[in-house]
Amino acid sequence: IKIQYQIQLNESDQRKNVKQNLLQALDLAGGKVDNWADINLRNTRFLSKLEAFRSMKAEAQVPLLIAAKESLDWVSLIFVKNLNGDAVARNDDRLLQNYSDSEYFKQILSGQKMGQQVLIGKLAPVPLHCLAVPINKSKVGEQIVGIITRCSTLLSISDYIKSSSFSQSGYTFLVDNKKRLIATGDNT
């Protein structure tokens, strides 16, 4: 009986250790995904406060949009829209479109501080995650003059998240605020 009790104690300790290691790995993977989202949001908000964006002049915005896109591997498009939804500047030389039908655009116009949407691109038919923030007339003012949007392909997001998975059989998921799947780091 004493040997069986000792085996049960050892198994219990092993389970506790496995559980603790798993929870630590989950915290690390979750932290990396949270860090990805935070980098995107902070960087986009930083851009929205620059005078070039508050001016709503494309010639001042385009060089900054190009530099911002080049600074983050997973970003495929950054652009600015006016309050009618018309794109006024992009980081590439593609056709300027109207985005007034986009969910993230409507979220900002309804007063939200951030909008996001998973969609199929208008000019390149690929799945994208788009994150948008308002551009205010002044650094402290609340009057919105435009919206800056950053989009990433779901494939590039998944690749980034995959690098955060914690084992050969581990899974990491990124969901939006409505609990819709944006990307997965499925290692299979």
Side-chain angles (χ1 to χ4, degrees), residues 29-41 74 114 116-118 128-131 150-162 164-165 171-186:
K32 189 167 186 178
V33 172
D34 288 346
N35 188 41
W36 175 88
D38 189 55
I39 287 169
N40 279 290
L41 184 57
W74 59 81
M114 178 197 73
Q116 63 178 332
Q117 181 180 5
V118 174
L128 299 170
H129 172 260
C130 295
L131 173 107
R150 163 188 311 257
C151 298
S152 301
T153 66
L154 295 189
L155 182 58
S156 65
I157 298 170
S158 290
D159 287 345
Y160 179 81
I161 291 172
K162 187 180 234 180
S164 72
S165 293
Y171 300 94
T172 307
F173 301 96
L174 178 63
V175 295
D176 68 10
N177 56 350
K178 294 183 180 177
K179 298 187 176 147
R180 294 178 296 199
L181 181 65
I182 295 172
T184 177
D186 184 349

Side-chain angles (χ1 to χ4, degrees), residues 100-129:
S100 61
D101 60 339
S102 299
E103 185 178 318
Y104 61 82
F105 178 79
K106 293 174 184 175
Q107 291 167 350
I108 298 296
L109 288 186
S110 74
Q112 294 183 37
K113 300 290 182 194
M114 178 197 73
Q116 63 178 332
Q117 181 180 5
V118 174
L119 51 83
I120 300 297
K122 287 190 175 202
L123 296 177
V126 295
L128 299 170
H129 172 260

Side-chain angles (χ1 to χ4, degrees), residues 80-151:
V80 175
K81 293 170 287 316
N82 63 24
L83 297 181
N84 294 326
D86 297 319
V88 296
R90 294 174 56 107
N91 68 286
D92 57 20
D93 58 358
R94 294 192 126 175
L95 183 65
L96 298 175
Q97 298 277 320
N98 181 281
Y99 295 88
S100 61
D101 60 339
S102 299
E103 185 178 318
Y104 61 82
F105 178 79
K106 293 174 184 175
Q107 291 167 350
I108 298 296
L109 288 186
S110 74
Q112 294 183 37
K113 300 290 182 194
M114 178 197 73
Q116 63 178 332
Q117 181 180 5
V118 174
L119 51 83
I120 300 297
K122 287 190 175 202
L123 296 177
V126 295
L128 299 170
H129 172 260
C130 295
L131 173 107
V133 299
I135 300 170
N136 295 319
K137 186 173 185 170
S138 69
K139 288 182 183 179
V140 293
E142 291 299 319
Q143 181 184 358
I144 297 174
V145 295
I147 296 169
I148 185 167
T149 304
R150 163 188 311 257
C151 298

